[in-house]
PDB file of all heavy atoms in Angstrom:
ATOM      1  N   LYS A1261       0.843  -1.195   0.000  1.00 89.00           N
ATOM      2  CA  LYS A1261       0.000   0.000   0.000  1.00 89.00           C
ATOM      3  C   LYS A1261       0.878   1.244   0.000  1.00 89.00           C
ATOM      4  O   LYS A1261       2.021   1.230   0.428  1.00 89.00           O
ATOM      5  CB  LYS A1261      -0.908   0.012   1.240  1.00 89.00           C
ATOM      6  CG  LYS A1261      -1.789  -1.211   1.381  1.00 89.00           C
ATOM      7  CD  LYS A1261      -2.817  -1.283   0.300  1.00 89.00           C
ATOM      8  CE  LYS A1261      -3.739  -2.479   0.498  1.00 89.00           C
ATOM      9  NZ  LYS A1261      -4.703  -2.632  -0.524  1.00 89.00           N
ATOM     10  N   PHE A1262       0.315   2.354  -0.491  1.00 90.00           N
ATOM     11  CA  PHE A1262       1.002   3.635  -0.452  1.00 90.00           C
ATOM     12  C   PHE A1262       0.973   4.161   0.976  1.00 90.00           C
ATOM     13  O   PHE A1262      -0.054   4.095   1.646  1.00 90.00           O
ATOM     14  CB  PHE A1262       0.307   4.653  -1.368  1.00 90.00           C
ATOM     15  CG  PHE A1262       0.608   4.486  -2.828  1.00 90.00           C
ATOM     16  CD1 PHE A1262      -0.016   3.512  -3.581  1.00 90.00           C
ATOM     17  CD2 PHE A1262       1.515   5.336  -3.446  1.00 90.00           C
ATOM     18  CE1 PHE A1262       0.258   3.373  -4.927  1.00 90.00           C
ATOM     19  CE2 PHE A1262       1.798   5.200  -4.795  1.00 90.00           C
ATOM     20  CZ  PHE A1262       1.166   4.213  -5.542  1.00 90.00           C
ATOM     21  N   SER A1263       2.079   4.712   1.426  1.00 92.00           N
ATOM     22  CA  SER A1263       2.122   5.336   2.745  1.00 92.00           C
ATOM     23  C   SER A1263       1.441   6.701   2.670  1.00 92.00           C
ATOM     24  O   SER A1263       1.191   7.233   1.580  1.00 92.00           O
ATOM     25  CB  SER A1263       3.571   5.512   3.201  1.00 92.00           C
ATOM     26  OG  SER A1263       4.213   6.496   2.397  1.00 92.00           O
ATOM     27  N   THR A1264       1.162   7.293   3.826  1.00 93.00           N
ATOM     28  CA  THR A1264       0.552   8.628   3.869  1.00 93.00           C
ATOM     29  C   THR A1264       1.428   9.621   3.121  1.00 93.00           C
ATOM     30  O   THR A1264       0.930  10.422   2.320  1.00 93.00           O
ATOM     31  CB  THR A1264       0.355   9.083   5.328  1.00 93.00           C
ATOM     32  OG1 THR A1264      -0.533   8.162   5.962  1.00 93.00           O
ATOM     33  CG2 THR A1264      -0.223  10.477   5.403  1.00 93.00           C
ATOM     34  N   ASN A1265       2.722   9.567   3.346  1.00 94.00           N
ATOM     35  CA  ASN A1265       3.644  10.477   2.682  1.00 94.00           C
ATOM     36  C   ASN A1265       3.620  10.280   1.169  1.00 94.00           C
ATOM     37  O   ASN A1265       3.630  11.246   0.402  1.00 94.00           O
ATOM     38  CB  ASN A1265       5.056  10.278   3.240  1.00 94.00           C
ATOM     39  CG  ASN A1265       5.999  11.374   2.802  1.00 94.00           C
ATOM     40  OD1 ASN A1265       5.629  12.542   2.782  1.00 94.00           O
ATOM     41  ND2 ASN A1265       7.217  10.992   2.445  1.00 94.00           N
ATOM     42  N   GLU A1266       3.597   9.038   0.718  1.00 94.00           N
ATOM     43  CA  GLU A1266       3.546   8.766  -0.721  1.00 94.00           C
ATOM     44  C   GLU A1266       2.243   9.280  -1.332  1.00 94.00           C
ATOM     45  O   GLU A1266       2.238   9.847  -2.428  1.00 94.00           O
ATOM     46  CB  GLU A1266       3.679   7.263  -0.984  1.00 94.00           C
ATOM     47  CG  GLU A1266       5.069   6.728  -0.739  1.00 94.00           C
ATOM     48  CD  GLU A1266       5.143   5.216  -0.852  1.00 94.00           C
ATOM     49  OE1 GLU A1266       4.266   4.526  -0.280  1.00 94.00           O
ATOM     50  OE2 GLU A1266       6.081   4.732  -1.518  1.00 94.00           O
ATOM     51  N   ILE A1267       1.135   9.100  -0.621  1.00 93.00           N
ATOM     52  CA  ILE A1267      -0.160   9.591  -1.129  1.00 93.00           C
ATOM     53  C   ILE A1267      -0.132  11.107  -1.260  1.00 93.00           C
ATOM     54  O   ILE A1267      -0.533  11.670  -2.285  1.00 93.00           O
ATOM     55  CB  ILE A1267      -1.317   9.141  -0.216  1.00 93.00           C
ATOM     56  CG1 ILE A1267      -1.551   7.633  -0.376  1.00 93.00           C
ATOM     57  CG2 ILE A1267      -2.597   9.913  -0.516  1.00 93.00           C
ATOM     58  CD1 ILE A1267      -2.532   7.032   0.605  1.00 93.00           C
ATOM     59  N   LEU A1268       0.365  11.798  -0.231  1.00 93.00           N
ATOM     60  CA  LEU A1268       0.394  13.261  -0.251  1.00 93.00           C
ATOM     61  C   LEU A1268       1.356  13.811  -1.306  1.00 93.00           C
ATOM     62  O   LEU A1268       1.222  14.960  -1.720  1.00 93.00           O
ATOM     63  CB  LEU A1268       0.750  13.798   1.132  1.00 93.00           C
ATOM     64  CG  LEU A1268      -0.283  13.517   2.223  1.00 93.00           C
ATOM     65  CD1 LEU A1268       0.231  13.991   3.575  1.00 93.00           C
ATOM     66  CD2 LEU A1268      -1.631  14.138   1.894  1.00 93.00           C
ATOM     67  N   ASN A1269       2.291  12.992  -1.759  1.00 95.00           N
ATOM     68  CA  ASN A1269       3.259  13.442  -2.765  1.00 95.00           C
ATOM     69  C   ASN A1269       2.961  12.939  -4.171  1.00 95.00           C
ATOM     70  O   ASN A1269       3.787  13.089  -5.067  1.00 95.00           O
ATOM     71  CB  ASN A1269       4.682  13.052  -2.342  1.00 95.00           C
ATOM     72  CG  ASN A1269       5.179  13.965  -1.256  1.00 95.00           C
ATOM     73  OD1 ASN A1269       5.169  15.175  -1.415  1.00 95.00           O
ATOM     74  ND2 ASN A1269       5.574  13.390  -0.132  1.00 95.00           N
ATOM     75  N   THR A1270       1.795  12.340  -4.373  1.00 94.00           N
ATOM     76  CA  THR A1270       1.427  11.944  -5.731  1.00 94.00           C
ATOM     77  C   THR A1270       1.041  13.194  -6.524  1.00 94.00           C
ATOM     78  O   THR A1270       0.574  14.182  -5.959  1.00 94.00           O
ATOM     79  CB  THR A1270       0.224  10.970  -5.743  1.00 94.00           C
ATOM     80  OG1 THR A1270      -0.900  11.611  -5.135  1.00 94.00           O
ATOM     81  CG2 THR A1270       0.544   9.670  -5.062  1.00 94.00           C
ATOM     82  N   PHE A1271       1.279  13.145  -7.822  1.00 96.00           N
ATOM     83  CA  PHE A1271       0.799  14.224  -8.685  1.00 96.00           C
ATOM     84  C   PHE A1271      -0.592  13.815  -9.170  1.00 96.00           C
ATOM     85  O   PHE A1271      -0.778  12.682  -9.565  1.00 96.00           O
ATOM     86  CB  PHE A1271       1.719  14.437  -9.894  1.00 96.00           C
ATOM     87  CG  PHE A1271       1.253  15.581 -10.756  1.00 96.00           C
ATOM     88  CD1 PHE A1271       1.645  16.863 -10.467  1.00 96.00           C
ATOM     89  CD2 PHE A1271       0.381  15.354 -11.813  1.00 96.00           C
ATOM     90  CE1 PHE A1271       1.186  17.923 -11.242  1.00 96.00           C
ATOM     91  CE2 PHE A1271      -0.084  16.408 -12.585  1.00 96.00           C
ATOM     92  CZ  PHE A1271       0.334  17.695 -12.294  1.00 96.00           C
ATOM     93  N   PRO A1272      -1.548  14.667  -9.056  1.00 96.00           N
ATOM     94  CA  PRO A1272      -1.563  16.110  -8.864  1.00 96.00           C
ATOM     95  C   PRO A1272      -1.832  16.575  -7.425  1.00 96.00           C
ATOM     96  O   PRO A1272      -1.878  17.765  -7.176  1.00 96.00           O
ATOM     97  CB  PRO A1272      -2.700  16.551  -9.769  1.00 96.00           C
ATOM     98  CG  PRO A1272      -3.659  15.422  -9.722  1.00 96.00           C
ATOM     99  CD  PRO A1272      -2.813  14.179  -9.590  1.00 96.00           C
ATOM    100  N   LEU A1273      -2.005  15.666  -6.492  1.00 96.00           N
ATOM    101  CA  LEU A1273      -2.361  16.072  -5.132  1.00 96.00           C
ATOM    102  C   LEU A1273      -1.314  16.995  -4.507  1.00 96.00           C
ATOM    103  O   LEU A1273      -1.655  17.962  -3.839  1.00 96.00           O
ATOM    104  CB  LEU A1273      -2.597  14.847  -4.242  1.00 96.00           C
ATOM    105  CG  LEU A1273      -3.101  15.149  -2.830  1.00 96.00           C
ATOM    106  CD1 LEU A1273      -4.404  15.926  -2.855  1.00 96.00           C
ATOM    107  CD2 LEU A1273      -3.275  13.875  -2.034  1.00 96.00           C
ATOM    108  N   ARG A1274      -0.035  16.728  -4.752  1.00 95.00           N
ATOM    109  CA  ARG A1274       1.011  17.539  -4.113  1.00 95.00           C
ATOM    110  C   ARG A1274       0.968  18.994  -4.569  1.00 95.00           C
ATOM    111  O   ARG A1274       1.444  19.888  -3.874  1.00 95.00           O
ATOM    112  CB  ARG A1274       2.384  16.937  -4.361  1.00 95.00           C
ATOM    113  CG  ARG A1274       2.879  17.066  -5.778  1.00 95.00           C
ATOM    114  CD  ARG A1274       4.352  16.631  -5.933  1.00 95.00           C
ATOM    115  NE  ARG A1274       4.720  16.641  -7.318  1.00 95.00           N
ATOM    116  CZ  ARG A1274       4.787  15.561  -8.075  1.00 95.00           C
ATOM    117  NH1 ARG A1274       4.520  14.377  -7.570  1.00 95.00           N
ATOM    118  NH2 ARG A1274       5.123  15.666  -9.345  1.00 95.00           N
ATOM    119  N   LYS A1275       0.398  19.259  -5.743  1.00 96.00           N
ATOM    120  CA  LYS A1275       0.339  20.622  -6.284  1.00 96.00           C
ATOM    121  C   LYS A1275      -1.018  21.287  -6.018  1.00 96.00           C
ATOM    122  O   LYS A1275      -1.133  22.505  -6.099  1.00 96.00           O
ATOM    123  CB  LYS A1275       0.607  20.557  -7.797  1.00 96.00           C
ATOM    124  CG  LYS A1275       0.659  21.898  -8.473  1.00 96.00           C
ATOM    125  CD  LYS A1275       0.925  21.762  -9.959  1.00 96.00           C
ATOM    126  CE  LYS A1275       0.787  23.117 -10.649  1.00 96.00           C
ATOM    127  NZ  LYS A1275       0.921  23.021 -12.088  1.00 96.00           N
ATOM    128  N   ALA A1276      -2.018  20.505  -5.671  1.00 97.00           N
ATOM    129  CA  ALA A1276      -3.385  21.024  -5.554  1.00 97.00           C
ATOM    130  C   ALA A1276      -3.578  21.869  -4.303  1.00 97.00           C
ATOM    131  O   ALA A1276      -3.151  21.500  -3.216  1.00 97.00           O
ATOM    132  CB  ALA A1276      -4.384  19.874  -5.566  1.00 97.00           C
ATOM    133  N   VAL A1277      -4.246  23.002  -4.491  1.00 97.00           N
ATOM    134  CA  VAL A1277      -4.635  23.863  -3.386  1.00 97.00           C
ATOM    135  C   VAL A1277      -6.085  23.551  -3.002  1.00 97.00           C
ATOM    136  O   VAL A1277      -6.462  23.655  -1.849  1.00 97.00           O
ATOM    137  CB  VAL A1277      -4.481  25.350  -3.787  1.00 97.00           C
ATOM    138  CG1 VAL A1277      -5.038  26.276  -2.734  1.00 97.00           C
ATOM    139  CG2 VAL A1277      -3.023  25.662  -4.074  1.00 97.00           C
ATOM    140  N   LYS A1278      -6.854  23.123  -4.004  1.00 97.00           N
ATOM    141  CA  LYS A1278      -8.263  22.797  -3.793  1.00 97.00           C
ATOM    142  C   LYS A1278      -8.613  21.609  -4.682  1.00 97.00           C
ATOM    143  O   LYS A1278      -8.108  21.498  -5.800  1.00 97.00           O
ATOM    144  CB  LYS A1278      -9.134  24.013  -4.143  1.00 97.00           C
ATOM    145  CG  LYS A1278     -10.610  23.814  -3.970  1.00 97.00           C
ATOM    146  CD  LYS A1278     -11.444  25.089  -4.106  1.00 97.00           C
ATOM    147  CE  LYS A1278     -11.102  25.953  -5.283  1.00 97.00           C
ATOM    148  NZ  LYS A1278     -11.961  27.139  -5.432  1.00 97.00           N
ATOM    149  N   VAL A1279      -9.502  20.737  -4.173  1.00 98.00           N
ATOM    150  CA  VAL A1279      -9.963  19.568  -4.937  1.00 98.00           C
ATOM    151  C   VAL A1279     -11.482  19.562  -4.917  1.00 98.00           C
ATOM    152  O   VAL A1279     -12.100  19.721  -3.863  1.00 98.00           O
ATOM    153  CB  VAL A1279      -9.414  18.253  -4.333  1.00 98.00           C
ATOM    154  CG1 VAL A1279      -9.965  17.046  -5.081  1.00 98.00           C
ATOM    155  CG2 VAL A1279      -7.891  18.242  -4.352  1.00 98.00           C
ATOM    156  N   LYS A1280     -12.074  19.390  -6.109  1.00 98.00           N
ATOM    157  CA  LYS A1280     -13.529  19.289  -6.231  1.00 98.00           C
ATOM    158  C   LYS A1280     -13.876  17.979  -6.915  1.00 98.00           C
ATOM    159  O   LYS A1280     -13.127  17.508  -7.779  1.00 98.00           O
ATOM    160  CB  LYS A1280     -14.106  20.431  -7.085  1.00 98.00           C
ATOM    161  CG  LYS A1280     -14.013  21.796  -6.479  1.00 98.00           C
ATOM    162  CD  LYS A1280     -14.647  22.822  -7.415  1.00 98.00           C
ATOM    163  CE  LYS A1280     -14.542  24.224  -6.872  1.00 98.00           C
ATOM    164  NZ  LYS A1280     -15.139  25.220  -7.806  1.00 98.00           N
ATOM    165  N   ILE A1281     -15.015  17.413  -6.542  1.00 98.00           N
ATOM    166  CA  ILE A1281     -15.578  16.304  -7.310  1.00 98.00           C
ATOM    167  C   ILE A1281     -16.858  16.812  -7.948  1.00 98.00           C
ATOM    168  O   ILE A1281     -17.565  17.634  -7.360  1.00 98.00           O
ATOM    169  CB  ILE A1281     -15.799  15.033  -6.452  1.00 98.00           C
ATOM    170  CG1 ILE A1281     -16.699  15.313  -5.254  1.00 98.00           C
ATOM    171  CG2 ILE A1281     -14.476  14.438  -6.023  1.00 98.00           C
ATOM    172  CD1 ILE A1281     -17.065  14.065  -4.449  1.00 98.00           C
ATOM    173  N   ILE A1282     -17.128  16.348  -9.153  1.00 97.00           N
ATOM    174  CA  ILE A1282     -18.281  16.869  -9.903  1.00 97.00           C
ATOM    175  C   ILE A1282     -19.032  15.733 -10.586  1.00 97.00           C
ATOM    176  O   ILE A1282     -18.502  14.644 -10.785  1.00 97.00           O
ATOM    177  CB  ILE A1282     -17.851  17.916 -10.961  1.00 97.00           C
ATOM    178  CG1 ILE A1282     -16.962  17.269 -12.031  1.00 97.00           C
ATOM    179  CG2 ILE A1282     -17.164  19.101 -10.308  1.00 97.00           C
ATOM    180  CD1 ILE A1282     -16.680  18.159 -13.235  1.00 97.00           C
ATOM    181  N   SER A1283     -20.274  16.041 -10.953  1.00 97.00           N
ATOM    182  CA  SER A1283     -21.024  15.169 -11.860  1.00 97.00           C
ATOM    183  C   SER A1283     -21.530  16.036 -13.010  1.00 97.00           C
ATOM    184  O   SER A1283     -21.830  17.216 -12.833  1.00 97.00           O
ATOM    185  CB  SER A1283     -22.179  14.468 -11.149  1.00 97.00           C
ATOM    186  OG  SER A1283     -23.140  15.398 -10.711  1.00 97.00           O
ATOM    187  N   TYR A1284     -21.601  15.442 -14.174  1.00 95.00           N
ATOM    188  CA  TYR A1284     -22.047  16.141 -15.377  1.00 95.00           C
ATOM    189  C   TYR A1284     -22.548  15.098 -16.374  1.00 95.00           C
ATOM    190  O   TYR A1284     -22.279  13.906 -16.221  1.00 95.00           O
ATOM    191  CB  TYR A1284     -20.923  16.999 -15.986  1.00 95.00           C
ATOM    192  CG  TYR A1284     -19.668  16.231 -16.305  1.00 95.00           C
ATOM    193  CD1 TYR A1284     -19.397  15.827 -17.605  1.00 95.00           C
ATOM    194  CD2 TYR A1284     -18.763  15.903 -15.315  1.00 95.00           C
ATOM    195  CE1 TYR A1284     -18.245  15.108 -17.901  1.00 95.00           C
ATOM    196  CE2 TYR A1284     -17.609  15.184 -15.606  1.00 95.00           C
ATOM    197  CZ  TYR A1284     -17.364  14.797 -16.893  1.00 95.00           C
ATOM    198  OH  TYR A1284     -16.229  14.084 -17.198  1.00 95.00           O
ATOM    199  N   ASN A1285     -23.278  15.546 -17.354  1.00 93.00           N
ATOM    200  CA  ASN A1285     -23.837  14.654 -18.394  1.00 93.00           C
ATOM    201  C   ASN A1285     -24.725  13.546 -17.824  1.00 93.00           C
ATOM    202  O   ASN A1285     -24.903  12.516 -18.456  1.00 93.00           O
ATOM    203  CB  ASN A1285     -22.723  14.018 -19.241  1.00 93.00           C
ATOM    204  CG  ASN A1285     -22.028  15.036 -20.120  1.00 93.00           C
ATOM    205  OD1 ASN A1285     -22.608  16.059 -20.476  1.00 93.00           O
ATOM    206  ND2 ASN A1285     -20.795  14.767 -20.472  1.00 93.00           N
ATOM    207  N   ILE A1286     -25.303  13.763 -16.650  1.00 91.00           N
ATOM    208  CA  ILE A1286     -26.134  12.707 -16.067  1.00 91.00           C
ATOM    209  C   ILE A1286     -27.507  12.599 -16.733  1.00 91.00           C
ATOM    210  O   ILE A1286     -28.198  11.611 -16.553  1.00 91.00           O
ATOM    211  CB  ILE A1286     -26.294  12.866 -14.533  1.00 91.00           C
ATOM    212  CG1 ILE A1286     -26.885  14.223 -14.182  1.00 91.00           C
ATOM    213  CG2 ILE A1286     -24.983  12.637 -13.827  1.00 91.00           C
ATOM    214  CD1 ILE A1286     -27.195  14.392 -12.717  1.00 91.00           C
ATOM    215  N   ASN A1287     -27.873  13.593 -17.523  1.00 86.00           N
ATOM    216  CA  ASN A1287     -29.157  13.547 -18.229  1.00 86.00           C
ATOM    217  C   ASN A1287     -29.020  13.067 -19.670  1.00 86.00           C
ATOM    218  O   ASN A1287     -29.962  13.146 -20.446  1.00 86.00           O
ATOM    219  CB  ASN A1287     -29.828  14.923 -18.194  1.00 86.00           C
ATOM    220  CG  ASN A1287     -30.222  15.305 -16.784  1.00 86.00           C
ATOM    221  OD1 ASN A1287     -30.710  14.478 -16.024  1.00 86.00           O
ATOM    222  ND2 ASN A1287     -29.966  16.546 -16.424  1.00 86.00           N
ATOM    223  N   PHE A1288     -27.849  12.567 -20.028  1.00 85.00           N
ATOM    224  CA  PHE A1288     -27.618  12.052 -21.380  1.00 85.00           C
ATOM    225  C   PHE A1288     -27.253  10.582 -21.301  1.00 85.00           C
ATOM    226  O   PHE A1288     -26.389  10.203 -20.508  1.00 85.00           O
ATOM    227  CB  PHE A1288     -26.490  12.820 -22.075  1.00 85.00           C
ATOM    228  CG  PHE A1288     -26.804  14.271 -22.297  1.00 85.00           C
ATOM    229  CD1 PHE A1288     -26.383  15.226 -21.391  1.00 85.00           C
ATOM    230  CD2 PHE A1288     -27.542  14.666 -23.391  1.00 85.00           C
ATOM    231  CE1 PHE A1288     -26.679  16.565 -21.575  1.00 85.00           C
ATOM    232  CE2 PHE A1288     -27.854  16.001 -23.600  1.00 85.00           C
ATOM    233  CZ  PHE A1288     -27.422  16.955 -22.678  1.00 85.00           C
ATOM    234  N   ILE A1289     -27.887   9.790 -22.126  1.00 81.00           N
ATOM    235  CA  ILE A1289     -27.596   8.354 -22.112  1.00 81.00           C
ATOM    236  C   ILE A1289     -26.277   8.051 -22.810  1.00 81.00           C
ATOM    237  O   ILE A1289     -25.621   7.065 -22.519  1.00 81.00           O
ATOM    238  CB  ILE A1289     -28.760   7.534 -22.713  1.00 81.00           C
ATOM    239  CG1 ILE A1289     -28.617   6.073 -22.318  1.00 81.00           C
ATOM    240  CG2 ILE A1289     -28.850   7.691 -24.207  1.00 81.00           C
ATOM    241  CD1 ILE A1289     -29.900   5.301 -22.365  1.00 81.00           C
TER     242      ILE A1289
END
């Protein structure tokens, strides 16, 4: 498994100031 330090240093997380999750196109098949 990845350690906490390894997770925090993955790209793009290490560069991110803010992270959002989104949904889109949910009304299109």
